Amino acid sequence: MSEVLRAVEAPANQNIPQLRPGDTVRVFIRIKEGNNERTQEFRGTVIRMGNGGNNANFTVRRIASNGVGVERTFLLKSPRLEKVIVERHARVRRAQLYFLRGRTGKSSRLKTKFSV
Amino acid sequence: MIKGLLGKKVGMTQIFDESGSAIPVTLIEAGPCYVTQLRTPERDGYVAVQLGFEEVKPKRLTAGELGHVKRNNLPPLRYLREFREKEPGVEEGEKVTVDQVFGSGDLVDVSGVSKGKGFAGGVKRYHFQGGKKTHGQSDRWRAPGSRGSGTTPGRVFKGARGPGHMGNEKVTVQNLKVVLVDGERNLLGVRGAVPGPRGGLLMIKGARKQ
């Protein structure tokens, strides 16, 4: 990428630690409803990291009610992201954990990694 | 002040506005430009400002071009372009930078030379539908179909759309919003896409149809 393009990149959010695929995270997003602003939490597993300057993003997958899988992609540099908390790391052998989409229940568990 | 500038396309990215929405932005390295000549009604029959952009080594220019910039003691410039302007408000030899000309929120028209696509078929060039992909068709997927009627008129009308050379022509995009002006780095950011490849020359003017 060009130097000039990099120069207008937003600074990295200090409240977001280094994320990896397999991490169980809690993402706090600021949401505007009319004049009120509140924070919403989204808890799940990071299944993909995407690079690309201001477009850098990551996707979190969680199982909502009735066993329905929900995936949400967040822009890493977005000012709407308040903070991200990593609850645990997992031992995974690929960069994109799309195989989790086909799994439910016990088989969708990942092995916890205690040291990064 | 003149409402025009020459620039070079840097590329696209996205930036976040106050509400946190990501907006698509094309960055343009705009200026600094120099006023190389003023067209006057007495001498030229019309009013315009000739701007020069991008300093180069003297050996890149012909002797004639060098003499032209030397008249106003300007550095050698790669590009010279004219902007029709009723009231120029600038002097020959003057330096023009982005922050003098444009401000955040302005609407601009951006012209450039589009990327050449070579000899392109009707599907790509005019969005023809093409033929069926199934039902026993062969060799008809991207065919143009009929170009006109039959015995009457017995010929194809001039200007009928069909395959031919596409791109590499002047294209203007109107009413792009300026979202970023950086006088220090000579940077201009407009919302949306502009014609041409990265590094291509662009003419930026105040919007005609505001």
Side-chain angles (χ1 to χ4, degrees):
Chain A
M1 208 196 318
S2 130
E3 291 288 315
V4 190
L5 279 183
R6 209 162 273 156
V8 294
E9 238 171 64
N13 190 333
Q14 295 304 316
N15 295 324
I16 302 178
Q18 178 72 42
L19 302 175
R20 293 151 175 270
D23 288 355
T24 302
V25 291
R26 291 164 70 192
V27 183
F28 295 87
I29 325 118
R30 285 192 203 98
I31 288 183
K32 252 204 173 129
E33 287 171 330
N35 288 330
N36 300 334
E37 204 180 69
R38 64 184 184 86
T39 305
Q40 192 187 59
E41 185 184 339
F42 192 89
R43 186 174 178 278
T45 313
V46 177
I47 62 165
R48 161 177 71 189
M49 302 295 299
N51 297 326
N54 268 357
N55 189 34
N57 55 54
F58 62 100
T59 301
V60 180
R61 179 180 171 85
R62 83 184 186 102
I63 306 299
S65 54
N66 294 329
V68 182
V70 175
E71 286 179 16
R72 200 163 160 188
T73 302
F74 301 96
L75 290 168
L76 262 176
K77 300 282 179 70
S78 169
R80 280 182 195 168
L81 272 191
E82 191 172 294
K83 63 177 172 180
V84 177
I85 296 174
V86 177
E87 290 195 329
R88 61 195 188 113
H89 305 286
R91 189 181 105 86
V92 291
R93 294 175 68 158
R94 52 213 76 218
Q96 279 93 26
L97 310 180
Y98 298 146
F99 65 89
L100 287 178
R101 288 172 177 169
R103 296 197 186 182
T104 50
K106 273 191 174 181
S107 66
S108 65
R109 293 170 305 171
L110 296 171
K111 254 190 179 163
T112 308
K113 196 162 79 173
F114 292 99
S115 60
V116 181
Chain B
M1 193 68 188
I2 177 185
K3 266 279 175 222
L5 214 59
L6 294 172
K8 220 174 184 183
K9 177 162 158 184
V10 174
M12 289 195 72
T13 180
Q14 58 188 15
I15 59 176
F16 299 99
D17 63 12
E18 320 80 55
S19 65
S21 314
I23 48 178
V25 168
T26 307
L27 287 184
I28 301 168
E29 194 187 329
C33 293
Y34 298 91
V35 181
T36 45
Q37 201 176 21
L38 291 176
R39 300 282 184 199
T40 58
E42 301 80 50
R43 193 182 57 214
D44 310 293
Y46 63 100
V47 183
V49 181
Q50 190 187 73
L51 289 183
F53 170 59
E54 201 181 13
E55 292 179 30
V56 287
K57 289 184 214 164
K59 73 170 181 183
R60 299 257 180 255
L61 302 188
T62 65
E65 289 165 341
L66 271 178
H68 181 65
V69 290
K70 222 178 158 191
R71 257 173 14 115
N72 293 306
N73 290 319
L74 294 174
L77 299 162
R78 189 190 297 274
Y79 302 110
L80 299 176
R81 291 291 184 277
E82 272 184 24
F83 291 82
R84 295 295 284 263
E85 197 87 23
K86 287 200 183 80
E87 288 159 28
V90 283
E91 298 293 320
E92 278 190 18
E94 202 172 310
K95 187 176 176 178
V96 188
T97 56
V98 218
D99 43 345
Q100 292 170 340
V101 183
F102 298 115
S104 208
D106 289 1
L107 291 178
V108 293
D109 296 344
V110 180
S111 311
V113 176
S114 61
K115 281 183 185 174
K117 307 291 181 195
F119 192 100
V123 174
K124 184 179 192 137
R125 196 169 177 219
Y126 292 111
H127 302 142
F128 287 174
Q129 193 104 53
K132 287 192 173 69
K133 293 184 178 69
T134 57
H135 293 292
Q137 310 278 329
S138 64
D139 295 356
R140 298 294 297 169
W141 304 289
R142 297 180 71 88
S146 168
R147 299 201 75 193
S149 321
T151 316
T152 320
R155 62 189 175 89
V156 174
F157 288 121
K158 280 192 173 178
R161 297 173 306 163
H165 195 274
M166 184 183 173
N168 194 23
E169 57 176 354
K170 184 180 173 181
V171 176
T172 305
V173 186
Q174 295 181 329
N175 289 326
L176 295 176
K177 197 176 193 180
V178 174
V179 290
L180 186 152
V181 177
D182 187 339
E184 231 162 84
R185 285 192 295 240
N186 294 309
L187 263 188
L188 180 74
V190 295
R191 187 180 207 275
V194 305
R198 289 188 290 267
L201 178 70
L202 297 172
M203 274 176 93
I204 310 137
K205 293 182 196 171
R208 276 170 73 91
K209 301 176 182 167
Q210 293 203 18

